[in-house]
Amino acid sequence: MTRERQETDSGAFTHEDPVADQALDWFVNLRNEAPSARASQAFANWLAEDSRHADEFLRLEDMWGAPGFRDAVLAAAPAQSDVIGLRSAGRAAGRAAGRSAWTRMARALVAAAAVFMLALGIWQGPHLWRIWHSDFYTVAGEQANLTLPDGSTMILNTASAVAIDFADGRREIRLLEGEAWFGVLPDTSRPFRVTGQYGTVTVTGTKFSLRLGPDHDTVLLEEGRVEVAGSAAVAPPVTLEPEQMIFLGPSGLSQVQAADSASALAWRQGRILFDETPLSTVVDELQRYRSGTAMVVNSAAAGMAVSGNYRLDDVETAMRILAETGGLSLTRIPGGS
């Protein structure tokens, strides 16, 4: 399920999804003035009509509450004369115009948000886009264990997002961000497909993980068999056996490599394991499970080999232990995390 904005001939913005459009109307309505008893009851009735109504409304709440989003939209709004005009008109003629005024203000807010989207290159743009188009997502440090419509299991790791499509017998998932593990129920008549940045994994029943990276994806097979095809289509698909992994990049597939699923997938039990791993890599991995930014500024220490088994619910302690072990200092920058 995707939610894309379109511009109509009249210049108004609308969603392809009418539920998302309705949620936006309510969102703007409830923030411009205190709702009457009748409006409150109408809103409650709308929420009760379909579980998706609450989901869409909460998505807007989450986005509005995200650090910087509200301020950025409000900063963009004054530059839009139509936004200010519609807001004033909505308050003055709200009783006469009824829902149409709120609809115009909703469209104006979307226009203001669209202006904000132009600046996302300097503030988490790709991340917000993926979250907006996802059906399920997790934030930094969070994991989610989910049962899919076919009974298969999906575990989302930290800061991950997926869009699913199980309509008309399909079993298709797009991993938009982060990492996910799948326990797929066998069904030879309905292949289970997971698509990442650079290819697709096809299975009928197995256990595997897919992780997106900055320049490649990683597929790791725990049980069963999977077929991995690169988007570049420069080589035939590759079949993995248990305890094997493969990388998918813009130029195709890597060679199949041996894997240690117990170590690589320890995050499912709330742990992260390292064996003779460069300190800079360890810090980058731990960084995925916390907000803020962490880096090793000592170039000599960055390559120091590190081994350890750390709890993911206490990454700060892990960082402190690493610093003490390497004889390094841990400095917190004001305003950071």
Side-chain angles (χ1 to χ4, degrees):
M1 175 179 59
T2 60
R3 303 169 186 81
E4 298 182 0
R5 297 183 179 89
Q6 294 182 321
E7 189 171 5
T8 65
D9 294 338
S10 64
F13 284 77
T14 183
H15 281 86
E16 289 180 344
D17 185 353
V19 173
D21 218 26
Q22 295 165 18
L24 185 58
D25 286 351
W26 278 113
F27 184 80
V28 177
N29 190 333
L30 296 176
R31 269 157 182 75
N32 274 272
E33 62 182 40
S36 64
R38 179 177 296 179
S40 297
Q41 184 59 54
F43 178 59
N45 293 341
W46 177 77
L47 289 176
E49 288 174 3
D50 191 317
S51 61
R52 279 198 58 217
H53 292 181
D55 292 341
E56 290 295 338
F57 190 85
L58 289 175
R59 282 184 192 278
L60 290 171
E61 289 276 12
D62 289 343
M63 179 170 283
W64 185 263
F69 180 80
R70 181 177 181 276
D71 292 341
V73 172
L74 293 179
Q80 306 292 314
S81 59
D82 58 331
V83 175
I84 298 175
L86 285 174
R87 182 174 294 170
S88 299
R91 288 174 177 169
R95 291 184 177 84
R99 183 175 176 80
S100 63
W102 294 119
T103 300
R104 290 198 301 275
M105 283 192 292
R107 300 296 175 268
L109 179 61
V110 173
V115 172
F116 165 71
M117 293 296 283
L118 296 177
L120 286 181
I122 59 173
W123 186 73
Q124 297 187 353
H127 170 71
L128 283 182
W129 184 91
R130 291 166 192 146
I131 294 302
W132 182 251
H133 286 76
S134 71
D135 291 299
F136 301 100
Y137 67 90
T138 56
V139 298
E142 180 186 24
Q143 295 175 354
N145 195 324
L146 304 164
T147 300
L148 297 170
D150 68 334
S152 297
T153 301
M154 174 176 66
I155 305 178
L156 291 184
N157 200 4
T158 177
S160 300
V162 295
I164 68 172
D165 181 4
F166 280 72
D168 301 324
R170 289 187 294 273
R171 298 201 294 173
E172 298 180 359
I173 293 178
R174 177 172 288 275
L175 181 60
L176 303 172
E177 186 173 48
E179 180 178 17
W181 174 90
F182 301 92
V184 182
L185 291 183
D187 188 343
T188 55
S189 65
R190 293 194 302 158
F192 189 103
R193 294 186 175 89
V194 181
T195 301
Q197 299 173 111
Y198 301 111
T200 300
V201 184
T202 303
V203 305
T204 53
T206 187
K207 297 178 180 180
F208 72 100
S209 68
L210 174 62
R211 174 175 170 178
L212 307 189
D215 54 11
H216 67 266
D217 299 344
T218 304
V219 178
L220 186 153
L221 180 61
E222 186 177 19
E223 294 181 11
R225 296 176 64 176
V226 298
E227 182 181 89
V228 182
S231 300
V234 295
V238 173
T239 299
L240 297 185
E241 301 292 340
E243 299 301 311
Q244 289 185 339
M245 62 189 295
I246 194 170
F247 304 116
L248 300 81
S251 60
L253 306 176
S254 72
Q255 295 294 316
V256 175
Q257 301 182 23
D260 179 359
S261 62
S263 176
L265 301 175
W267 56 265
R268 295 176 300 174
Q269 286 77 47
R271 312 291 301 190
I272 188 167
L273 282 61
F274 301 104
D275 182 19
E276 295 296 306
T277 305
L279 177 61
S280 59
T281 301
V282 172
V283 171
D284 288 344
E285 283 296 299
L286 291 173
Q287 169 62 30
R288 298 171 59 213
Y289 296 88
R290 63 188 294 276
S291 59
T293 301
M295 64 186 71
V296 180
V297 296
N298 185 318
S299 58
M304 181 178 65
V306 172
S307 297
N309 183 331
Y310 303 99
R311 289 171 46 190
L312 292 177
D313 62 355
D314 192 5
V315 172
E316 298 303 318
T317 295
M319 293 281 196
R320 178 176 53 78
I321 292 173
L322 286 170
E324 292 174 353
T325 301
L328 305 173
S329 61
L330 188 64
T331 303
R332 300 186 181 278
I333 300 174
S337 298

